[in-house]
């Protein structure tokens, strides 16, 4: 095994990297606008799912998956994930500012932008790991972390907001995504084992931070 711990053989040429970056940013921008619109289209409490952190992070994860077979390093998936998340924040709050009644205080846009710069690279790499990780534990961690995001949202809907149907939907995704994306039963089982503690850990960290900021 190479000392550099490569993901796969290099295929992405330097001249193509800017195009991939622009594409991820553009998809994020469009996704941000759409999630803002979906908040107005989805009924009742279901509109919270439109711009949930877990749904947004799926964009970074998907970017990593898409680039997994085209690079042997972590920098490209990390950058792609970051740009996708930044695009989401800019698209969402840009539409809120110019297409609706304004985005209000800059506190939450800046907070989500900061979180995009952390979660984007991490889940961009996780997406790449889920497809081409050179060590099995990386795939378990990647899929478990993705499931844990939805699990944390399920806990938030259940414990924080009392929205049982939304909690059940997030719980189903928390279990379903590792089962769907895993390639063997061992991988699926270990990914689920990671998702359970990841759900509680993410819930306490993420929503503790959001509650502290919102006062």
């Amino acid at each position: 095994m190479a000392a550099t711990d490569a993901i796969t053989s290099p295929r992405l040429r330097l001249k193509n990297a800017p195009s991939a970056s622009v594409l991820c940013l553009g998809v994020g921008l469009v996704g941000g606008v759409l999630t803002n619109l979906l908040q107005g289209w989805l009924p009742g409490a279901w509109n919270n799912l439109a711009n949930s952190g877990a749904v947004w992070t799926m964009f970074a994860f998907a970017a990593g998956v898409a680039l997994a077979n085209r690079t042997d390093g972590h920098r490209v998936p990390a950058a792609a994930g970051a740009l996708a998340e930044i695009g989401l924040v800019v698209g969402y709050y840009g539409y809120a500012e110019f297409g609706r009644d304004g985005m209000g205080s800059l506190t939450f846009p800046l907070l989500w932008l900061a979180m995009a710069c952390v979660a984007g690279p991490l889940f961009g790499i996780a997406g790449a790991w889920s497809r081409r990780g050179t060590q099995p534990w990386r795939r378990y961690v990647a899929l478990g972390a993705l499931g844990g995001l939805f699990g944390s949202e399920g806990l938030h809907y259940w414990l924080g907001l009392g929205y049982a149907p939304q909690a059940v939907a997030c719980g189903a995704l928390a279990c379903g995504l590792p089962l769907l994306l895993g390639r063997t039963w061992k991988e699926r089982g270990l990914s689920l084992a990671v998702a359970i503690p990841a759900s509680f850990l993410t819930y306490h960290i993420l929503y503790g931070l959001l509650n502290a900021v919102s006062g």
Side-chain angles (χ1 to χ4, degrees), residues 134-213:
T134 55
Q135 297 175 338
W137 69 265
R138 292 188 170 189
R139 294 194 293 274
Y140 311 152
V141 168
L143 296 178
L146 182 64
L149 274 179
F150 284 95
S152 69
E153 294 225 345
L155 289 170
H156 174 61
Y157 287 127
W158 177 34
L159 300 175
L161 300 176
Y163 296 159
Q166 289 76 15
V168 171
C170 286
L173 287 170
C175 297
L177 286 171
L179 291 174
L180 179 66
L181 299 176
R183 288 178 284 187
T184 65
W185 284 111
K186 178 182 178 181
E187 186 171 305
R188 295 180 183 113
L190 291 173
S191 298
L192 281 175
V194 172
I196 294 171
S199 298
F200 288 94
L201 181 62
T202 305
Y203 171 72
H204 284 292
I205 293 175
L206 176 59
Y207 291 99
L209 175 62
L210 293 175
N211 289 336
V213 171

Side-chain angles (χ1 to χ4, degrees), residues 12-214:
L12 186 67
R13 298 291 184 262
L14 183 61
K15 65 181 180 180
N16 293 331
S19 298
S21 300
V22 171
L23 179 60
C24 290
L25 181 62
V27 169
L29 286 168
V30 173
V33 173
L34 288 177
T35 54
N36 193 306
L37 290 170
L38 281 171
Q39 278 196 296
W41 296 340
L42 294 176
W46 290 103
N47 63 17
N48 290 289
L49 291 175
N51 70 323
S52 73
V55 171
W56 278 20
T57 306
M58 283 288 293
F59 283 77
F61 192 90
V65 169
L67 293 172
N69 291 328
R70 300 181 64 84
T71 177
D72 64 343
H74 296 145
R75 286 181 296 179
V76 172
L83 288 169
E85 297 303 292
I86 290 170
L88 282 161
V89 176
V90 174
Y92 179 87
Y93 285 104
Y95 184 80
E97 178 67 22
F98 298 107
R100 292 192 184 274
D101 299 327
M103 63 181 173
S105 170
L106 285 174
T107 300
F108 276 97
L110 292 176
L111 174 62
W112 284 113
L113 192 60
M115 293 175 69
C117 293
V118 176
L122 289 177
F123 279 88
I125 292 172
W129 279 7
S130 74
R131 303 309 302 163
R132 300 294 291 177
T134 55
Q135 297 175 338
W137 69 265
R138 292 188 170 189
R139 294 194 293 274
Y140 311 152
V141 168
L143 296 178
L146 182 64
L149 274 179
F150 284 95
S152 69
E153 294 225 345
L155 289 170
H156 174 61
Y157 287 127
W158 177 34
L159 300 175
L161 300 176
Y163 296 159
Q166 289 76 15
V168 171
C170 286
L173 287 170
C175 297
L177 286 171
L179 291 174
L180 179 66
L181 299 176
R183 288 178 284 187
T184 65
W185 284 111
K186 178 182 178 181
E187 186 171 305
R188 295 180 183 113
L190 291 173
S191 298
L192 281 175
V194 172
I196 294 171
S199 298
F200 288 94
L201 181 62
T202 305
Y203 171 72
H204 284 292
I205 293 175
L206 176 59
Y207 291 99
L209 175 62
L210 293 175
N211 289 336
V213 171
S214 61

